[in-house]
Amino acid sequence: MSSAKNKTLGAFAAGLMAATALVTAVSVLPATQAIAQNQLQAAAIDPSKGFADLVDRVMPAVVSVQVKYATVAASEDDQAQGGKQMPNGMEDFFKQFPQFRNMPGMPGQGGQGGDGEDHPNGGMAMGSGFIISADGYAVTNNHVVKDADQVSVTMKDGTEYKAEVIGTDPKTDLALIKIDTKDKKFDYVSFTKDEPRVGDWVMAVGNPFGLGGTVTTGIVSALGRDIGSGPYDNFMQIDAAINRGNSGGPAFNLEGEVVGINTAIFSPSGGSVGIGFAIPASTAENVIESLKQNGKVTRGWLGVQIQPVTEDIAESLGLKDAKGAIVADVTEDSPALAAGVKQGDTILKIDGKDVSDSRDLSRKVAGIKPGDSVPLTIVRDGKSMDIEVKIGTMPDDPKMAAKDNGSKEDTKVVSLADLGLKVSSAQDGAGVTVMDVAPGSAAADLGLKAGDTILEVAGTEVHAPSDVRAALKANDKKKVLMLVKTDDGQRFIALPTAKG
């Protein structure tokens, strides 16, 4: 998939991320007798004979999650509009099922939070969840229970219990809740230990539009999706229909194990179009265990600003493959700085495991226990080396590395015609400032713009246009690697030279 498509997908999915918890206050689950308490898992079912046996097996562990928010004064816009507007397609739904139209909290009713996150008028919202232990621990999404004053769950038989939020992790959009009961033992399900494969069957169970116990089936469509929702995106894409209210609900394999937590959809209309995203069990299990033990997630921290190694960057560095993560900046007082990691290093392995790209490195570092020392394989100045780094604990607000100021030289504008740039010495002496970028040039195509600062050229710090010329002259490759500082941070770009 192209970068443009990835960005489009990320924009749509991230925008709908918080819209998957439906606002409703009524469960329409029929009352049935409760069954025995045990771990709901057995041999795989045969999908050619239907999914009814699997549904019977896992349904007692799936819950509807209701949350209540404090009521605050409505805004003038909300009062003028009479509350939330009707989502696309819901008017036809209410024509067919008029008994649902006037339920408190349904779309179009004033005074209710509309998506499980934004609740300026207080009210209620609803999502999904599933029980993972006999004593009543359950999993849902962070955006379902975020800022909730009260949380409750409704079982398959219609029984409702109060619940407490044990901990949340916004970075992965996961939350752990505990059902408030001392004597009751619950049926529960477990996370799978097996990695899903593209093409595997999945069955989603949840509470879309307040219709609890809804079951849909499909397959794993793709793995490793980055939808732009957080730094550790690694979503499983499924085509089983999930809609608003499915948030936090489980996606099962044929053995009745949870392979994912339904979290987001890609949809121009707000309804299912067969593209849903679930947090993989391998990600969720570690996060949930940390929340259970500590009430929060403690992650490993290296302290570097990184970016992927593109084909152009790999060529400019003389690397065989476009793999790994290149260090654009090193944070002050960080484990990376203490270990001797430098700006421009390319990280190829950590703890003996290959690093495919910058996202992969972030996930691997986050999964290492703080305090552990691990080997880091890097490439510096064309040479591979191993260094030992003691992983730290990720701070709540990591600091970015401060740059030393260089000497200040002339401030006149100099043209670098071969690169399509006009530059001048930066006012603080650190780098050279881009004054103009020729339209249609390679620099413009790579996103370089006036006001950006070039800090390094071909691994050499620059403080004046003459430094840039000297570095270009010494460069013997078809492309030259530049470290550029923008409003969004620092990154490397590889510009073609006259030698190319």
Side-chain angles (χ1 to χ4, degrees):
M1 179 179 290
S2 68
S3 175
K5 289 183 178 178
N6 270 323
K7 290 181 180 178
T8 301
L9 181 62
F12 272 100
L16 289 164
M17 188 87 170
T20 51
L22 172 70
V23 185
T24 181
V26 179
S27 172
V28 293
L29 296 174
T32 58
Q33 184 176 357
I35 65 173
Q37 307 84 22
N38 51 43
Q39 183 174 353
L40 305 174
Q41 180 181 342
I45 61 118
D46 180 358
S48 67
K49 297 180 180 179
F51 293 83
D53 289 342
L54 181 58
V55 172
D56 289 342
R57 189 189 308 164
V58 302
M59 188 66 80
V62 181
V63 298
S64 298
V65 181
Q66 298 89 23
V67 298
K68 292 183 179 180
Y69 305 109
T71 301
V72 296
S75 67
E76 293 181 2
D77 289 342
D78 287 338
Q79 293 174 354
Q81 295 178 11
K84 294 280 183 179
Q85 293 184 342
M86 193 78 69
N88 291 338
M90 287 303 292
E91 184 60 44
D92 291 336
F93 173 84
F94 287 129
K95 287 179 180 178
Q96 187 174 359
F97 302 103
Q99 66 269 30
F100 292 118
R101 177 181 291 275
N102 295 318
M103 281 186 176
M106 290 301 284
Q109 300 297 314
Q112 306 295 328
D115 56 12
E117 277 200 53
D118 298 324
H119 39 84
N121 301 326
M124 304 180 70
M126 180 174 282
S128 306
F130 57 96
I131 301 171
I132 59 169
S133 66
D135 55 351
Y137 282 97
V139 176
T140 187
N141 278 141
N142 170 65
H143 74 260
V144 172
V145 299
K146 179 183 178 183
D147 299 329
D149 287 338
Q150 298 178 37
V151 179
S152 61
V153 300
T154 302
M155 312 298 294
K156 175 179 180 289
D157 63 359
T159 305
E160 185 173 337
Y161 298 95
K162 292 182 179 179
E164 175 190 2
V165 177
I166 301 300
T168 63
D169 182 40
K171 286 185 171 65
T172 56
D173 197 22
L174 287 168
L176 179 68
I177 61 177
K178 176 72 166 60
I179 300 174
D180 186 12
T181 179
K182 295 181 180 179
D183 301 324
K184 172 76 174 177
K185 296 297 181 182
F186 296 93
D187 295 303
Y188 64 96
V189 291
S190 299
F191 291 110
T192 184
K193 300 298 183 184
D194 300 325
E195 289 295 326
R197 299 184 305 164
V198 174
D200 282 350
W201 281 100
V202 289
M203 182 180 79
V205 186
N207 187 35
F209 300 108
L211 303 173
T214 296
V215 177
T216 57
T217 61
I219 63 168
V220 177
S221 303
L223 298 171
R225 291 297 197 202
D226 179 4
I227 65 174
S229 68
Y232 307 114
D233 278 14
N234 187 33
F235 285 94
M236 177 175 65
Q237 181 183 327
I238 63 176
D239 71 350
I242 56 177
N243 287 284
R244 297 178 183 179
N246 272 111
S247 283
F252 293 103
N253 61 17
L254 298 182
E255 286 78 20
E257 301 169 323
V258 177
V259 294
I261 296 90
N262 302 319
T263 299
I265 59 173
F266 170 83
S267 175
S269 64
S272 174
V273 294
I275 302 177
F277 301 97
I279 302 165
S282 57
T283 298
E285 187 169 24
N286 293 333
V287 170
I288 294 302
E289 183 60 28
S290 184
L291 291 176
K292 185 176 182 181
Q293 296 298 324
N294 308 309
K296 62 179 183 179
V297 178
T298 301
R299 292 185 169 90
W301 180 57
L302 187 58
V304 289
Q305 181 183 332
I306 52 177
Q307 67 181 82
V309 178
T310 64
E311 293 287 349
D312 287 343
I313 290 176
E315 181 181 343
S316 65
L317 291 173
L319 299 176
K320 183 186 298 184
D321 299 309
K323 295 181 179 179
I326 188 168
V327 178
D329 207 352
V330 182
T331 306
E332 287 183 338
D333 303 323
S334 66
L337 188 65
V341 177
K342 295 183 178 181
Q343 189 174 270
D345 287 348
T346 303
I347 301 174
L348 299 181
K349 290 185 179 182
I350 185 167
D351 199 18
K353 300 174 183 177
D354 291 336
V355 173
S356 59
D357 55 29
S358 53
R359 285 197 305 130
D360 185 39
L361 177 61
S362 296
R363 290 195 297 267
K364 283 183 167 64
V365 171
I368 299 174
K369 183 180 178 181
D372 285 357
S373 293
V374 297
L376 201 66
T377 301
I378 65 173
V379 172
R380 180 183 297 164
D381 299 328
K383 298 178 181 179
S384 178
M385 63 180 71
D386 288 334
I387 59 177
E388 197 81 4
V389 58
K390 185 177 182 180
I391 299 298
T393 300
M394 180 177 290
D396 293 332
D397 186 20
K399 298 176 293 182
M400 293 305 300
K403 292 291 163 189
D404 292 331
N405 290 341
S407 60
K408 186 173 180 181
E409 291 191 15
D410 62 281
T411 58
K412 66 179 181 179
V413 177
V414 176
S415 176
L416 302 173
D418 290 344
L419 300 179
L421 298 173
K422 290 183 179 180
V423 298
S424 175
S425 295
Q427 291 186 356
D428 61 2
V432 296
T433 301
V434 177
M435 306 302 293
D436 189 39
V437 181
S441 65
D445 291 341
L446 290 170
L448 206 60
K449 62 185 184 300
D452 291 345
T453 303
I454 300 172
L455 300 174
E456 289 184 3
V457 177
T460 302
E461 289 187 2
V462 294
H463 306 288
S466 58
D467 294 339
V468 178
R469 290 185 184 277
L472 290 172
K473 185 176 181 181
N475 178 66
D476 59 358
K477 297 182 176 67
K478 294 180 180 179
K479 295 187 177 181
V480 61
L481 192 68
M482 292 185 175
L483 178 63
V484 179
K485 183 179 180 180
T486 70
D487 293 337
D488 299 322
Q490 295 180 187
R491 65 186 179 102
F492 285 96
I493 63 171
L495 281 177
T497 66
K499 299 172 185 177

